[in-house]
Amino acid sequence: MTILGDKNVTGATIWLTGLPSAGKTTIAYELAGRLRAEGHRTEVLDGDEIREFLSAGLGFSREDRHTNVQRIGFVAELLASNGIKALVPVIAPYEDSREAVRKRHATEGTAYVEVHVATPVEVCSVRDVKGLYAKQAAGEIRGLTGVDDPYEEPQNPDLRIESHQQTVQESAAALHALLTERGLA
């Protein structure tokens, strides 16, 4: 979609999925800064913020996780269909939930890019940005994705980033290159 001749208003949802502490949010913010510097309208739909404001009251059952992902997918598609690059760093552990979001975008004719931030659980547990792995190991929490709750890795993501083998800038650059190749950046 182009409005008033501005080349930078083609919207898209860029969905970054992966384990807790994989680097999804860090990569999303790095890419957002680059896209904004190029004049793109960009929003980051951080999974933690969405849980606090849009999905408050939902737990971590499979059904609640599915509902959370569908809500995020709806908002992302709405933004993307209005010319915004919606960067979505969320765990989204189940393939069927992610596929439903992809189908919503396809039905609406909205660009959708799925990125798997494929960081091994051993690396994520060392990073442990929010202390979740330590709490799980201490028996304080249960249902940690990738440890004692499932994470279904995407079989055919548009891009797989191994963040433990490159810098944040290199990861964001690889994603930017894909967006450029697809006419989205």
Side-chain angles (χ1 to χ4, degrees):
M1 168 166 79
T2 302
I3 300 173
L4 303 175
D6 185 346
K7 68 180 181 111
N8 293 332
V9 293
T10 300
T13 294
I14 299 94
W15 194 280
L16 296 95
T17 179
L19 295 173
S21 297
K24 303 174 300 295
T25 303
T26 304
I27 293 167
Y29 278 107
E30 179 71 24
L31 178 62
R34 183 171 181 169
L35 290 171
R36 287 182 183 126
E38 294 173 351
H40 297 275
R41 296 168 51 203
T42 305
E43 277 299 326
V44 177
L45 299 178
D46 183 285
D48 292 332
E49 292 175 1
I50 296 290
R51 272 223 173 250
E52 182 179 350
F53 297 107
L54 186 62
S55 294
L58 289 179
F60 291 91
S61 67
R62 183 178 179 104
E63 181 179 302
D64 282 357
R65 288 176 192 244
H66 179 77
T67 298
N68 185 51
V69 168
Q70 297 316 295
R71 287 178 183 176
I72 297 168
F74 173 80
V75 172
E77 195 285 321
L78 184 65
L79 291 171
S81 69
N82 283 283
I84 296 171
K85 304 288 188 301
L87 305 179
V88 186
V90 297
I91 296 169
Y94 302 114
E95 182 66 34
D96 60 339
S97 297
R98 294 188 307 264
E99 184 57 28
V101 171
R102 180 186 296 276
K103 285 181 180 176
R104 167 183 286 284
H105 282 72
T107 298
E108 298 299 325
T110 305
Y112 179 86
V113 176
E114 182 179 73
V115 179
H116 178 208
V117 182
T119 308
V121 69
E122 298 80 19
V123 174
C124 294
S125 67
V126 170
R127 289 179 180 173
D128 203 9
V129 177
K130 299 172 194 148
L132 297 175
Y133 293 93
K135 288 179 182 177
Q136 190 277 335
E140 295 173 27
I141 63 170
R142 292 184 52 217
L144 181 59
T145 302
V147 177
D148 58 355
D149 208 57
Y151 177 75
E152 299 170 356
E153 290 189 6
Q155 298 304 303
N156 297 299
D158 297 294
L159 179 65
R160 192 175 312 275
I161 293 175
E162 297 187 12
S163 72
H164 60 293
Q165 296 182 349
Q166 59 191 34
T167 66
V168 171
Q169 294 75 19
E170 290 169 334
S171 296
L175 182 46
H176 188 273
L178 176 64
L179 296 177
T180 300
E181 176 184 306
R182 295 196 176 173
L184 299 172

